[in-house]
Amino acid sequence: MPPSLSPILSPGHGTSELDGEVVATLCGVVERVNKLVYVRTLRARYKPEIGDIIVGRVIEVAPKRWRLEINFSQDAVLMLSSMNLPDGIQRRRTAVDELNMRSIFEENDVVCAEVRGFQHDGSLHLQARSQKYGKLERGQLLTVSPYLVKRRKQHFHHIEQYGIDLILGCNGFIWVGEHVEARDDMIVEDQATKSEQHDATTSMYPTSLEQEEQTYTPLETRQNICRTANAVRVLSTLGFSINVEVIMEMVNLSSSLNLDIHEMLGAEFCVLVAEGEAERRSLKKKKG
């Protein structure tokens, strides 16, 4: 900072006073709030905020709660009372619900939730009361640096063209999986009743092989999941910001070049993506 401004400003995080000037001690972006000046580091750990959409993995099933690993300095806690029950009915949790917690989530399950607040020990308190939250299946969980995922209004994306769902977690965990239709709270109870009737029927009449195959993820969908996941890996390797537009651009580019899925991780494709990004930035500077 210029010496003329130094007496006016108050040094904050990532700054220090040297010979009457405010200098940065970290590599990052200089931010200013009134008279306070600080440095926001580029490659920092995830700093949660209330309302963040996060993806985590269950590491422990404790009494009335699950503990999740969310790429943070402390584990997050999802209380049994902070999520929808499988039957979808809003009611008080009972001892039976607590005994059946493992039927909802168990160790190593991947879960999507929202940051509700902070506990006294600094850990996060999560909630998953909407039908769009919950257990994630039939897909891949990717880990990237949290600073690559910017906070946006929408973190849930349905790529209808490829039949997949993409969840960009603010904590750097990204989920790419088979598309699942969001359930309506009003019809969950009816679906639960029908599923119980179906289970009773199937126990009397075993399902055929064709019916079992219908529950499998189609080969084309699995290939689309892998191609999209590799696009995220390439962006993470290059250190580019990750959003749905850039991911789909890379997926379409690899398809137009007739590249196999594993070839997307090769050096040639990474160089091609980097050159395209450099050209895009140069054009943006000229327009600006």
Side-chain angles (χ1 to χ4, degrees), residues 128-140:
R129 286 200 177 94
S130 172
Q131 293 298 330
K132 63 182 178 180
Y133 303 132
K135 186 176 179 179
L136 303 175
E137 298 178 295
R138 300 185 182 184
Q140 295 187 28

Side-chain angles (χ1 to χ4, degrees), residues 133 202 220 243 278:
Y133 303 132
T202 53
E220 183 179 0
N243 55 63

